[in-house]
Amino acid sequence: GVRLVGWEMCIRDRDTRWIEAVTAYVVPAPGAEPDTLPGVLTDHVKEHLAPFKVPKAVHLVEELPRNASGKILKRTLRDGRD
């Protein structure tokens, strides 16, 4: 199949309805269609994960913030949505 995702990170993020919800932050692969990518990803994971693990939101980002050792900065992702 076609590779749609370069990098992704799912975290618990603040949510007005659920208090916290699984949120996916995705760096699209070159050539991926940004308009349809969130729906395609959500449909795919619904087939493979329990309902409570399916992201409530998918945010496309240019890159995932990392520290000097390469670890993804989850707090920066959360704070960037405020």
Side-chain angles (χ1 to χ4, degrees), residues 35-72:
D35 294 337
T36 59
L37 186 57
V40 169
L41 292 174
T42 301
D43 290 346
H44 176 75
V45 297
K46 281 181 180 178
E47 294 176 17
H48 301 280
L49 296 176
F52 72 93
K53 292 183 179 182
V54 174
K56 301 287 186 219
V58 176
H59 301 290
L60 302 182
V61 295
E62 291 184 22
E63 65 181 0
L64 295 174
R66 297 176 185 270
N67 67 14
S69 64
K71 292 184 178 182
I72 296 172

Side-chain angles (χ1 to χ4, degrees), residues 4-81:
L4 299 175
V5 175
W7 291 95
E8 42 69 34
M9 180 73 194
C10 288
I11 61 172
R12 291 182 320 227
D13 207 351
R14 290 181 294 274
D15 185 85
T16 55
R17 179 176 179 195
W18 304 100
I19 299 173
E20 280 190 336
V22 177
T23 303
Y25 292 87
V26 176
V27 178
E33 192 63 45
D35 294 337
T36 59
L37 186 57
V40 169
L41 292 174
T42 301
D43 290 346
H44 176 75
V45 297
K46 281 181 180 178
E47 294 176 17
H48 301 280
L49 296 176
F52 72 93
K53 292 183 179 182
V54 174
K56 301 287 186 219
V58 176
H59 301 290
L60 302 182
V61 295
E62 291 184 22
E63 65 181 0
L64 295 174
R66 297 176 185 270
N67 67 14
S69 64
K71 292 184 178 182
I72 296 172
L73 300 171
K74 297 175 192 174
R75 179 171 290 178
T76 301
L77 286 171
R78 281 188 204 103
D79 292 347
R81 300 294 309 158

